[in-house]
Amino acid sequence: MITFIGSILLLIVGYFTYGKFVERVFVTDRKRRTPAFTMRDNIDYVPMNTTRNSLIQLLNIAGVGPIFGPILGALYGPVAFVWIVVGCIFAGAVHDYLTGMISIRNHGAHLPQLAGKFLGRVMKHVVNGFAILLLLLVGTVFVTSPAALLANMTPLSITLITLVIFAYYLLATLLPIDKVIGRIYPYFGALLLFSALGIGLGMIFTGAPIPELSFQNMHPQGAPIFPLLFLTISCGALSGFHATQTPIISRTTENESNGRKIFYGMMITEGVIAMIWAAAAMSLFHGDHTLSDVLAAGGPAAVVSEVSTTMLGAIGGTLAILGVIVLPITSGDTAFRSARMIIADYLKVDQRPIVKRLLIAAPLFVVSYALTHMDFTLLWRYFSWANQTTAVIALWVATMYLVLARKPHLITSIPATFMTMATFTYLAYAPIGFGLSLQMSYVVAAIGTLICIALFMKRVRRLSGGLFAVDEPEVPAHLNGKRGEALATS
C-alpha cells in the first residue's frame, strides 16, 4: 500500500506547501469586508463561520463524483492515483481557491458573470448556458444515483424515493442557506467522514490488495488514458462543477484569510476521498468478482455496495453506503440552488421574495425530472464533458485575473492549457462527440487549443490598454447610500 498511503500523504503536504504558495500569489486582504457583510440579504448573503463554511463547501463539491468517477477511473490501474494527486494539488484545488477568492472580490459573482467580465460578453452568455446545463445534469445524476442505492436498501420504489429527494431539493433551493443547508450538513458530514475513514481503515487492516504505482494502461477495453482518464475522474482531481459551487460560499465567507481552508483545503479533502474509493475499486482487480465484472453487473453503485459490505460487514457497510448516499444529495441540493442564483443574476431578478425564487426554481425541477428517465451512463458522459469544459473556462478566467493583476499566472495557465487540449480531444474522439480517430483528434485538439490561446492573448492586449479593475469596490454602486451602508454594517 505504499502508493496508496504515499499519495494521501502527498495530498496533505500539498495543502500546507503549494496551497500556501497559491495563497501568497493571490495576496489576501484581512481588512477587506466580504460580500457576506457588504451585501447581506439573509437569503444567499449570510455570514457563517469557517468551520461551517468548510463543511458546506466539502459536501457541496463532493457528490458522487469523487466516488463514482474514481471507481470508473480505477479500470485504468494505478495511473489513476497519479492524476488524482497531481490534478488535485496543481489544478483542482487551485481552480477552487481562485474561483472562490475572485468571486469574493467581485461581490460573490458566479462564473457566468466572471466570464463576462474577464473573457467578454459573448462568453458570459455561453458560460451561462453551460453552467445551467451542467447544474441540471449534476442535479439529475445526484437524484438518480442515491435513489438507486436507497431502492436497493429499502422496500420503497425508486419513483417514490426520487420524488422525496426532489422535495428536499426544492426546500434547500428556496429557503435561506442557514436555515436548512447550514443546519443539517454537520450531521451529513459526520456520516460522510465515517464512510470514507471506515473504507480507508478497512482496506489497511484487512490488507486489501491495492496495486502499486504503474503507468501501464490496465483498462480491459484498452480505452486511451489521454483524454478519457482526465474526464472520467473529475471530482477529486479537477471539476468545473466546483466553479458553480464556490460562489455560494464566497457569499457567506467572513474573511478572505479563511479562503485557503475553505476552498483549497476542502478540495484536498475531496482528493483523499477519491483516493480511498479508487484504491477500494482497484482492490477488486483479483478474485471471483473483478472490478470490470461488478461494474458490468451493476455499475459504480454495485462497487460501492460490494466494497462497503466486504470491508465493514453488514451494519458498518450499510452506514458506509448511507455516507455515499449523503454525498450526491448534499451536492444536488446546492446544484439547483446555484442554478437558481445564476439565472437570477443573469435576469437581474430580486431573490428576497420567495415567490420569485419559486418561479425560477420550478422549471428547473420539471426539466430535471424528465432527465431522470435517461440512461445514467449516457448522462455521465455528457456530464463529464460539460464538467471539464466548465473547469477550462474557470481556469482561463483565473488566468486572466492573474495576468491583469500582474501576478504569476503559470499556476493556472498551465493546467488551463492542458485541460483545453484534453476536452477538445475528448469532444473530437468520443462517440458523443465527432467520433474521429485518436490521432486525428489530437490534431484537431491542438489546433483548437492554439486558437483559444490566441483569443486569450487578444483579450489580454485589449484589457491591458486601459483601466481595468480586477476587483470591484467593497460596496457595489447600486447599494451606495443609506441602504448600502446599513447592509455593510449589519
Side-chain angles (χ1 to χ4, degrees), residues 83 119 164 234 247 318:
W83 169 232
L119 301 181
V164 170
S234 52
T318 300

Side-chain angles (χ1 to χ4, degrees), residues 2-9 11 66-67 70 78 80-86 88 200 203 210 233 235-236 268-282:
I2 295 174
T3 303
F4 169 60
I5 297 175
S7 296
I8 291 179
L9 291 176
L11 287 169
I67 298 177
F81 291 154
V82 179
W83 169 232
I84 292 173
V85 173
V86 175
C88 187
M203 286 190 293
I210 303 171
I233 301 180
C235 296
I268 292 294
T269 304
E270 186 186 68
V272 173
I273 295 172
M275 278 296 308
I276 289 172
W277 282 102
M282 288 183 207

Side-chain angles (χ1 to χ4, degrees), residues 130-428:
F130 250 104
I132 299 302
L133 170 65
L134 175 62
L135 290 168
L136 273 174
L137 290 174
V138 167
T140 304
V141 169
F142 291 176
V143 168
T144 55
S145 52
L149 287 170
L150 283 170
N152 291 332
M153 297 172 60
T154 66
L156 301 176
S157 70
I158 192 168
T159 301
L160 177 60
I161 295 172
T162 299
L163 291 175
V164 170
I165 294 175
F166 268 127
Y168 163 70
Y169 282 179
L170 183 62
L171 289 175
T173 301
L174 297 179
L175 296 179
I177 191 169
D178 60 336
K179 301 303 181 186
V180 176
I181 293 174
R183 290 185 178 181
I184 66 173
Y185 270 33
Y187 303 102
F188 284 164
L191 197 56
L192 162 64
L193 294 175
F194 170 83
S195 174
L197 290 175
I199 297 300
L201 293 175
M203 286 190 293
I204 293 174
F205 289 125
T206 59
I210 303 171
E212 297 294 354
L213 180 61
S214 168
F215 291 96
Q216 177 187 357
N217 185 355
M218 301 174 67
H219 198 286
Q221 297 176 358
I225 292 176
F226 185 89
L228 299 185
L229 176 64
F230 302 94
L231 279 88
T232 301
I233 301 180
S234 52
C235 296
L238 170 66
S239 171
F241 171 64
H242 299 185
T244 68
Q245 300 302 290
T246 49
I248 295 177
I249 303 305
S250 72
R251 299 183 180 194
T252 61
T253 301
E254 293 180 319
N255 193 285
E256 286 189 4
S257 62
N258 302 331
R260 182 163 66 99
K261 179 179 180 181
I262 295 172
F263 301 121
Y264 198 100
M266 293 307 101
M267 180 60 204
I268 292 294
T269 304
E270 186 186 68
V272 173
I273 295 172
M275 278 296 308
I276 289 172
W277 282 102
M282 288 183 207
S283 72
L284 299 179
F285 276 168
H286 310 288
D288 296 330
H289 301 288
T290 64
L291 176 59
S292 55
D293 292 336
V294 177
L295 282 172
V303 176
V304 170
S305 299
E306 176 84 14
V307 169
S308 299
T309 53
T310 300
M311 297 294 175
L312 302 176
I315 297 177
T318 300
L319 290 175
I321 294 171
L322 287 174
V324 173
I325 291 171
V326 160
L327 283 173
I329 290 177
T330 53
S331 291
D333 54 8
T334 50
F336 286 110
R337 186 181 187 91
S338 181
R340 188 260 299 166
M341 293 163 66
I342 288 174
I343 294 173
D345 290 345
Y346 186 74
L347 299 178
K348 296 180 172 57
V349 178
D350 185 1
Q351 291 297 276
R352 284 172 295 175
I354 192 170
V355 174
K356 292 186 177 181
R357 280 175 261 156
L358 181 60
L359 287 174
I360 293 177
L364 294 172
F365 286 100
V366 172
V367 174
S368 180
Y369 182 75
L371 289 174
T372 59
H373 299 286
M374 288 183 64
D375 177 59
F376 173 84
T377 304
L378 184 63
L379 275 177
W380 187 266
R381 289 173 185 165
Y382 280 107
F383 160 72
S384 297
W385 173 73
N387 188 43
Q388 296 305 68
T389 301
T390 305
V392 166
I393 294 169
L395 284 168
W396 284 119
V397 167
T399 303
M400 183 66 75
Y401 178 95
L402 294 176
V403 169
L404 296 177
R406 292 175 172 78
K407 298 176 180 179
H409 63 81
L410 292 180
I411 59 173
T412 53
S413 59
I414 291 177
T417 303
F418 177 80
M419 287 309 300
T420 300
M421 180 71 182
T423 51
F424 271 128
T425 305
Y426 181 82
L427 182 61

Side-chain angles (χ1 to χ4, degrees), residues 29-40 45 103-108 117 250 254-256 469-480 484-485 487-489:
D29 185 352
R30 292 175 177 268
K31 296 181 179 180
R32 181 185 172 96
R33 291 179 301 173
T34 62
F37 297 103
T38 61
M39 298 183 67
R40 182 169 184 168
Y45 293 89
S103 175
I104 287 176
R105 291 282 179 90
N106 286 270
H107 309 315
K117 176 178 179 177
S250 72
E254 293 180 319
N255 193 285
E256 286 189 4
V470 293
D471 299 326
E472 296 294 327
E474 289 185 24
V475 181
H478 72 279
L479 290 183
N480 281 337
E485 289 302 315
L487 285 171
T489 57

Side-chain angles (χ1 to χ4, degrees), residues 461-472:
R461 288 192 295 270
R462 180 179 177 184
L463 295 182
S464 299
L467 297 176
F468 184 87
V470 293
D471 299 326
E472 296 294 327

Side-chain angles (χ1 to χ4, degrees), residues 81-104:
F81 291 154
V82 179
W83 169 232
I84 292 173
V85 173
V86 175
C88 187
I89 294 173
F90 297 103
V94 176
H95 166 281
D96 289 14
Y97 176 78
L98 288 176
T99 302
M101 298 306 294
I102 295 170
S103 175
I104 287 176

